[in-house]
Amino acid sequence: MEHIITPKVEHVKLLDRYATKKTATGTLYLTATHLIYVESSNNTRQETWILHHHICSVEKQPLSASGCPLVIRCKTFHQLHLLLPRERECQDVYQSLLRLSQPVTLDELYAFLYNPQQNEEERRKGWATVDLAADFRRMGLPNDHWEATELNKDYEMCSTYPSMLNVPKGASQATILGSAKFRSRGRLPVLSYFHKDTKATICRCSQPLSGFSARCPEDEQMLEAIRQANPNSAFMYVVDTRPKLNAMANRAAGKGYENEDNYSNIRFNFQGIENIHVMRNSLQKLLEVCAMKSPSMSDYLTGLENSGWLKHIKAVMDAGVFLAKAVMDEKASVLVHCSDGWDRTAQVCSLACVLLDPYYRTIKGLMVLIEKEWISMGHKFTHRCGHLDGDPKEVSPVFTQFIECVWQLMEQFPCVFEFNARFLIHIHDNVYACQYGNFLGNCQKERQEMRLQERTFSLWPYLLEQVKQYSNPIYKRKTGPLRPNTLPLHFKFWCGMYNHYDKGMHPKQSVLDHLLSLTQKKSEGEKNMLDLQRQLAVADGVLDDPAGPVACSPTKQCSDPLSPPTSPFNQPSGDVTCLKNGPGKDAGTGGGGCINGDQPEHFPDSDSDVPVEMGKAAVAIDLEDPKEDVEGSEMCVVPEQTS
């Protein structure tokens, strides 16, 4: 509270760049954790709450005749344009927000103040919601070729890796330690994902310290052990996610990439994903396009293209598809790295897991994946998300890009994800909120030193409690990999993320959100109908016990016992408020809902999926491989989405 100069300012106007009606007027409050704007005009009271940690920048614009403008931009892509009546009050609010939005120490973060009224046992169980060891057991580990090692239990081998690592059994302790010394920041090759059917693996590491000619026998032995751990392939891929020019430049600094002449039985591949600085600038240009008040179609499309954002999303998607095809189709293991192995490597490995494994397309599975590939393996959330006042060049939307890649997949395959887009947006918002401890710190070692599991709470139990609003009503679990089409025409601008808070845009109703709401209301209506039937049966003397089953009248014969109806989509009952986003798509939309009218739902059961092609009036979604004979297969029809 000591950073708050003026806690309350009255007669503050909230400007809407789209609205033509009278500007809203209200009161602005500053608390220790939130900025609160209370609109009280026209006998209505609407509140807008913004966490200080969500604030990305505060801009104090020149004084005008109508007041002093203050523009607040958020990491969740919310923008607040306020008009304060007096210069002094605007300066006080400006200075207060600058300090409140840029905490200097970890103890100032909201997570250390937040208390959801849980006792210590509930806190402990919350942190145990995600069990990474259980996920590796689900994959079939340990087995004849892979084992867990505790060589990093004290974080001496690699300070940014977790204490427990999975490595090939054929690698000796000397090989593991030697390989760690030859890799940037000690991030040696370790297992990320094991495919039980093909025995192929996805492993990850950082770039080698090879320079122009340096070699390391232990590192070469480590890669050979990874290759030999897969009996179904005589070679393995080594994928450098960087552009080749960037990787070559690193050679001058004594780093670089693997020389195929020194490593036997490897096939090297560059993927060309740009670095964090390019991505940060690209997002900034994208947000400038989103902030345009009334752009022409030409200006909008030109700005979107010049930002390069969708081009970068496509590059990440292409890399993930390459990994998935190598593991599934060629049955070859893959080793992935970028520079330090905690940004682009995390994007590509986690996206490949989503493509390969249907478990990671579930609500719980995505939590496990984020915990495994991002939190545990040392993605620098504190630096990349700008949780503390530090070097702005370390901030980059790496995790945002992964979340969007999952959404792009949901647009192509609307029936194979258990969650909707609201789930992705809420995860993204909570990464920046610092309300829970999951995304604080840069690695497992830092989190243990901060004692996060003793001092903060986990996000995952909270999300699981809200599972009704995150459920995809047309979800049908599919075995086998996803095979997305990565032609440019299949990538869309996600206004549900980047224009989510624009009030004046009046977005379309999300088809999936609306379907979920109707399904749950139907279930509630059927429940009420049963209650009324029981009451009538009691009134007619058919039932003696109101809690008992409905009996048949003596003059009538029962054909079937009365049983509660089930929702055609097997969804729990409850009201869900639809989340309205941008003008084109809403959270949860997957290119339309799969509905068979009054007929029971039927989904083809194949081992692969192909993207949804959107037609004009109604579209038949065929989830079979287009190369296979699909004659007679059943379809789910998507009605056209209207305004």
Side-chain angles (χ1 to χ4, degrees):
M1 294 295 289
E2 65 273 14
H3 304 303
I4 300 176
I5 303 173
T6 302
K8 178 181 177 181
V9 180
E10 295 181 330
H11 309 297
V12 177
K13 294 181 178 180
L14 176 62
L15 305 183
D16 185 346
R17 60 194 174 111
Y18 295 103
T20 57
K21 61 182 181 180
K22 185 179 179 181
T23 302
T25 303
T27 304
L28 182 69
Y29 298 90
L30 293 183
T31 71
T33 58
H34 290 79
L35 174 152
I36 307 170
Y37 179 79
V38 181
E39 179 183 339
S40 55
S41 56
N42 299 325
N43 297 321
T44 61
R45 179 184 174 90
Q46 296 183 355
E47 297 182 358
T48 301
W49 290 58
I50 297 179
L51 268 169
H52 296 322
H53 296 316
H54 273 164
I55 296 176
C56 176
S57 66
V58 185
E59 178 186 357
K60 183 174 176 287
Q61 297 181 339
L63 182 66
S64 66
S66 54
C68 187
L70 194 67
V71 179
I72 300 168
R73 298 180 178 89
C74 297
K75 300 170 185 176
T76 57
F77 314 116
H78 191 178
Q79 180 170 308
L80 214 62
H81 196 164
L82 302 174
L83 196 63
L84 282 74
R86 286 173 288 277
E87 166 75 18
R88 176 60 182 272
E89 292 174 333
C90 184
Q91 182 66 23
D92 290 346
V93 171
Y94 172 73
Q95 291 181 346
S96 298
L97 288 178
L98 280 182
R99 181 61 184 85
L100 292 168
S101 63
Q102 298 174 354
V104 178
T105 65
L106 288 167
D107 289 339
E108 296 180 48
L109 296 178
Y110 184 31
F112 297 103
L113 302 174
Y114 176 67
N115 184 1
Q117 304 302 319
Q118 293 182 5
N119 57 39
E120 289 304 313
E121 179 63 18
E122 291 172 324
R123 188 205 301 257
R124 185 191 63 78
K125 288 182 178 179
W127 281 107
T129 299
V130 171
D131 184 357
L132 297 186
D135 190 49
F136 282 110
R137 289 194 298 270
R138 182 189 63 84
M139 298 180 202
L141 300 176
N143 55 33
D144 294 339
H145 300 287
W146 293 90
E147 64 181 0
T149 179
E150 294 183 345
L151 287 176
N152 199 43
K153 63 179 181 180
D154 297 322
Y155 306 105
E156 294 179 356
M157 183 171 65
C158 177
S159 62
T160 59
Y161 265 174
S163 57
M164 186 69 67
L165 302 170
N166 287 279
V167 296
K169 276 190 175 180
S172 65
Q173 181 173 329
T175 297
I176 295 172
L177 294 174
S179 178
K181 292 178 181 178
F182 189 65
R183 293 283 167 172
S184 177
R185 303 183 188 273
R187 294 175 67 89
L188 74 154
V190 295
L191 181 70
S192 174
Y193 178 74
F194 176 80
H195 197 285
K196 287 193 288 188
D197 295 334
T198 65
K199 311 302 179 188
T201 59
I202 297 175
C203 297
R204 56 184 292 178
C205 60
S206 61
Q207 63 184 336
L209 305 178
S210 54
F212 290 102
S213 59
R215 294 183 61 174
C216 175
E218 291 84 1
D219 193 66
E220 295 167 18
Q221 294 167 10
M222 186 69 176
L223 266 65
E224 179 63 17
I226 293 174
R227 186 196 66 79
Q228 292 179 353
N230 177 10
N232 294 328
S233 179
F235 69 94
M236 67 176 288
Y237 283 105
V238 176
V239 175
D240 191 328
T241 60
R242 300 169 293 182
K244 185 175 182 179
L245 189 63
N246 295 22
M248 293 179 67
N250 273 279
R251 281 189 161 184
K255 300 176 183 178
Y257 55 94
E258 293 81 357
N259 188 334
E260 288 186 78
D261 296 334
N262 299 335
Y263 294 84
S264 59
N265 303 312
I266 72 166
R267 297 181 184 179
F268 200 85
N269 181 274
F270 286 106
Q271 284 297 317
I273 303 174
E274 298 291 350
N275 62 32
I276 61 172
H277 312 295
V278 174
M279 300 305 187
R280 180 178 61 251
N281 294 334
S282 177
L283 178 62
Q284 182 58 42
K285 292 178 181 178
L286 179 73
L287 296 181
E288 290 173 2
V289 174
C290 295
M292 297 169 69
K293 184 174 182 180
S294 299
S296 66
M297 179 61 75
S298 176
D299 290 343
Y300 176 79
L301 293 178
T302 300
L304 187 60
E305 181 182 3
N306 291 340
S307 73
W309 183 254
L310 289 179
K311 179 185 72 173
H312 299 315
I313 295 297
K314 176 178 167 20
V316 176
M317 187 77 79
D318 283 334
V321 169
F322 181 88
L323 264 63
K325 286 183 176 179
V327 170
M328 192 67 193
D329 297 342
E330 301 184 58
K331 300 181 180 180
S333 295
V334 187
L335 176 64
V336 187
H337 69 74
C338 47
S339 296
D340 292 318
W342 51 44
D343 290 320
R344 289 166 281 197
T345 301
Q347 289 178 326
V348 172
C349 289
S350 52
L351 190 59
C353 288
V354 172
L355 293 173
L356 287 167
D357 196 329
Y359 174 67
Y360 297 125
R361 300 171 215 150
T362 66
I363 291 175
K364 179 68 177 292
L366 187 66
M367 297 177 185
V368 172
L369 181 64
I370 293 172
E371 192 79 36
K372 176 169 69 76
E373 295 298 328
W374 293 84
I375 298 174
S376 174
M377 292 301 293
H379 177 66
K380 303 199 298 180
F381 279 103
T382 294
H383 290 166
R384 295 292 179 261
C385 300
H387 290 335
L388 300 177
D389 186 20
D391 185 0
K393 293 182 179 180
E394 283 289 302
V395 177
S396 189
V398 179
F399 186 75
T400 301
Q401 288 181 317
F402 165 67
I403 291 293
E404 176 163 343
C405 283
V406 176
W407 178 81
Q408 296 283 355
L409 288 175
M410 291 169 63
E411 288 292 288
Q412 291 197 38
F413 306 99
C415 299
V416 303
F417 289 87
E418 185 186 25
F419 47 82
N420 55 30
R422 183 190 287 112
F423 183 60
L424 299 178
I425 292 174
H426 283 193
I427 290 177
H428 181 268
D429 289 354
N430 276 285
V431 167
Y432 289 96
C434 300
Q435 183 172 351
Y436 297 90
N438 304 70
F439 303 102
L440 305 185
N442 293 318
C443 59
Q444 189 182 91
K445 180 183 178 183
E446 281 190 16
R447 295 183 184 97
Q448 288 189 358
E449 292 172 350
M450 293 159 61
R451 297 186 296 114
L452 290 181
Q453 295 194 12
E454 302 173 23
R455 303 172 60 197
T456 67
F457 296 86
S458 173
L459 169 66
W460 309 131
Y462 167 76
L463 294 182
L464 289 174
E465 290 175 359
Q466 312 296 320
V467 70
K468 289 181 182 179
Q469 63 172 308
Y470 302 137
S471 297
N472 176 7
I474 57 173
Y475 169 65
K476 181 69 174 178
R477 183 181 176 90
K478 301 291 295 180
T479 59
L482 300 182
R483 301 180 185 275
N485 192 323
T486 59
L487 290 174
L489 62 95
H490 291 281
F491 290 87
K492 305 175 183 179
F493 171 67
W494 190 7
C495 46
M497 170 72 89
Y498 306 108
N499 287 119
H500 171 56
Y501 291 97
D502 282 359
K503 291 182 179 180
M505 296 183 71
H506 301 297
K508 296 179 182 178
Q509 176 87 8
S510 165
V511 172
L512 293 190
D513 279 343
H514 187 55
L515 179 58
L516 177 59
S517 177
L518 290 177
T519 302
Q520 293 173 346
K521 288 179 180 178
K522 176 177 179 288
S523 179
E524 289 181 347
E526 291 168 341
K527 201 171 169 185
N528 292 335
M529 180 185 69
L530 282 179
D531 291 339
L532 292 173
Q533 286 177 338
R534 292 182 184 276
Q535 293 177 24
L536 287 173
V538 172
D540 293 340
V542 178
L543 269 184
D544 294 330
D545 182 4
V550 176
C552 295
S553 172
T555 59
K556 296 181 181 179
Q557 184 176 358
C558 287
S559 58
D560 291 306
L562 186 64
S563 59
T566 57
S567 165
F569 298 102
N570 194 26
Q571 294 294 328
S573 62
D575 289 330
V576 173
T577 303
C578 292
L579 181 65
K580 296 184 178 180
N581 301 327
K585 296 290 179 185
D586 289 2
T589 184
C594 292
I595 308 173
N596 286 333
D598 296 329
Q599 301 299 321
E601 63 170 320
H602 293 286
F603 293 88
D605 188 10
S606 66
D607 291 333
S608 62
D609 294 298
V610 294
V612 173
E613 300 288 348
M614 296 306 298
K616 184 175 181 182
V619 184
I621 301 179
D622 184 7
L623 298 182
E624 296 288 348
D625 193 322
K627 297 178 182 179
E628 299 177 0
D629 180 15
V630 295
E631 184 178 353
S633 63
E634 293 158 332
M635 307 288 190
C636 49
V637 178
V638 182
E640 182 184 23
Q641 183 175 342
T642 58
S643 299

